[in-house]
Amino acid sequence: MRVTGATIHPIHLPLRDPFVVAYARWESMPSIILELHTDTGLTGWGESVPDETVTGESHSAAVAMLRDVLLPAVLGREVADIDGAHAAMATAVGANPSVKAAIDLALHDLLGQAGGMPLHQLLGGSSERPLTYPRVISVGAPEAMAHGAEAALGEGFTEIKIKVGAGEPREDIARVRAVCEAVGDRARVRVDVNQHWGTPAVAVPAIRQLEGLGLRWIEQPVHGLDITGLAEVRAVTSVPIMADESVHGMASLLQIIRERAADAVNLKLMKTGGLQPAAALVAVAQAAGLWVQIGSMVESSIGSAAGYHLAAARSHVTSTELTGPLLFSRDVGDLAYEPPTVRLSQRAGLGVQIDRDALEALRVGGPITL
């Protein structure tokens, strides 16, 4: 079975509420949905969610890269040769992980369909263990964030992730304390700084003021490129540290391990370049004794399902945060959420039924066909 063509769908996924993190605010989430066509008639689906801050790609540039460089590198290739496809993409261009992820996901979807098995089985795992996720609360006033946390408890959530990083660290400390006071011992709280505290000189005093709150972890308190600074923070504070923007591929993961810069890593398919490289990173992190989370770039049901399949296939993945579809007022797929769990389909491949009417309605411009 060979790849014979492709269709690119640039879309904007409408958010129910603005999604706010330390470095950006979105009213809708730009995404790129990819169809890969084959000589057997099967169609595989992938997704790219580029982010200039995290993946180094803009939406328009990602579309052009997919159309002009990466898809021509894989057209005509055997679907089963995913390793060869990654080698061809690496030869064609460096970086651009979210665009490479779209192709990787679509190839895996095709391979699962051809083999008649859901993706988690193709990856060598089972979907029997429950896949849970936290309620994610955007940056806001402490009182509003505390109210959101209390509402999450009423919905059955026992894990709450809060975004901080607007204003001074003292404002973030107030946000964390307000949420922790609201939930008490009824939920574990994890804090995502999204690099906002910048340097150890700022991050260390802030974290020390939070050390008695029982936080599950603090995610990426310093600049992503400063792995040495992340190690300095971990060495002198007691709250577990998770690396996110600091880990993109094998080189950065090995540096994190070598410098003992984190207790956990947040792997995202859009950062790693897809399922195949992400699975390799999980194995190395496991060997080094790091906890692993499969995180989200706020993907649709397509990218989210792929992440959940990987989590189901790797028992060392202890946490997932793929909640994009819950944030959208309209999605292009049907990944089934039953808060605070998700239920993977047993259909072959990704197992996501595509809503073509939604895909057309959300598309920005016409489809691009190769």
Side-chain angles (χ1 to χ4, degrees):
M1 180 170 60
R2 292 184 179 275
V3 179
T4 56
T7 305
I8 304 168
H9 304 272
I11 66 171
H12 279 193
L13 290 155
L15 290 159
R16 298 179 188 276
D17 299 296
F19 186 67
V20 185
V21 301
Y23 63 88
R25 173 190 176 97
W26 290 273
E27 303 292 335
S28 63
M29 186 58 58
S31 173
I32 303 162
I33 305 301
L34 173 67
E35 286 184 80
L36 284 187
H37 312 298
T38 66
D39 55 5
T40 66
L42 290 178
T43 296
W45 293 90
E47 181 174 15
S48 166
V49 179
D51 182 303
E52 293 183 28
T53 299
V54 177
T55 71
E57 306 155 292
S58 70
H59 190 253
S60 59
V63 171
M65 181 62 65
L66 193 57
R67 178 193 64 215
D68 299 336
V69 179
L70 290 175
L71 282 172
V74 299
L75 288 176
R77 300 191 64 88
E78 286 283 350
V79 167
D81 185 16
I82 295 177
D83 186 66
H86 274 281
M89 290 191 289
T91 299
V93 68
N96 292 277
S98 81
V99 187
K100 292 174 180 176
I103 294 173
D104 171 284
L105 267 56
L107 291 173
H108 278 90
D109 187 24
L110 285 167
L111 199 56
Q113 291 181 54
M117 65 181 70
L119 199 51
H120 57 267
Q121 289 184 4
L122 180 71
L123 295 171
S126 167
S127 65
E128 293 182 359
R129 68 188 180 101
L131 298 168
T132 63
Y133 50 86
R135 165 57 61 84
V136 180
I137 298 175
S138 293
V139 180
E143 299 79 9
M145 295 178 72
H147 179 74
E150 290 176 333
L153 293 177
E155 297 170 13
F157 285 93
T158 59
E159 294 277 347
I160 294 171
K161 173 175 179 171
I162 62 173
K163 296 284 190 175
V164 299
E168 298 297 321
R170 58 181 173 77
E171 298 173 73
D172 290 332
I173 292 164
R175 294 180 175 103
V176 177
R177 286 178 172 164
V179 170
C180 288
E181 289 173 7
V183 303
D185 60 0
R186 295 173 292 171
R188 296 290 302 276
V189 176
R190 53 187 80 170
V191 177
D192 189 0
V193 186
N194 283 120
Q195 312 178 70
H196 181 72
W197 293 341
T199 66
V202 177
V204 169
I207 294 172
R208 283 180 172 162
Q209 294 183 66
L210 302 174
E211 288 183 324
L213 298 178
L215 298 175
R216 187 167 184 191
W217 57 63
I218 291 179
E219 185 175 341
Q220 201 63 52
V222 300
H223 292 305
L225 294 178
D226 189 10
I227 292 174
T228 298
L230 193 65
E232 292 176 14
V233 171
R234 180 175 180 261
V236 297
T237 57
S238 62
V239 181
I241 299 296
M242 173 177 280
D244 179 2
E245 287 89 350
S246 285
V247 55
H248 289 254
M250 194 62 73
S252 55
L253 177 59
L254 291 175
Q255 185 181 353
I256 288 167
I257 293 167
R258 187 167 57 248
E259 298 195 26
R260 300 182 179 182
D263 301 279
V265 290
N266 190 11
L267 303 180
K268 299 175 179 176
L269 301 184
M270 298 300 118
K271 291 190 304 174
T272 66
L275 287 160
Q276 187 195 62
L281 292 173
V282 171
V284 172
Q286 179 177 3
L290 297 177
W291 315 330
V292 175
Q293 172 173 279
I294 303 298
S296 170
M297 296 291 292
V298 196
E299 298 96 335
S300 76
S301 283
I302 295 171
S304 299
Y308 278 121
H309 277 292
L310 177 59
R314 296 292 182 270
S315 61
H316 189 69
V317 174
T318 58
S319 174
T320 59
E321 286 186 356
L322 297 140
T323 59
L326 294 173
L327 307 179
F328 303 134
S329 58
R330 192 172 188 184
D331 192 10
V332 297
D334 64 346
L335 183 60
Y337 287 85
E338 299 169 353
T341 64
V342 67
R343 178 169 49 82
L344 285 175
S345 167
Q346 297 303 306
R347 296 188 294 260
L350 282 171
V352 174
Q353 298 271 22
I354 303 301
D355 183 341
R356 286 190 176 272
D357 290 338
L359 190 62
E360 183 174 350
L362 301 178
R363 200 164 50 218
V364 182
I368 302 166
T369 302
L370 280 76

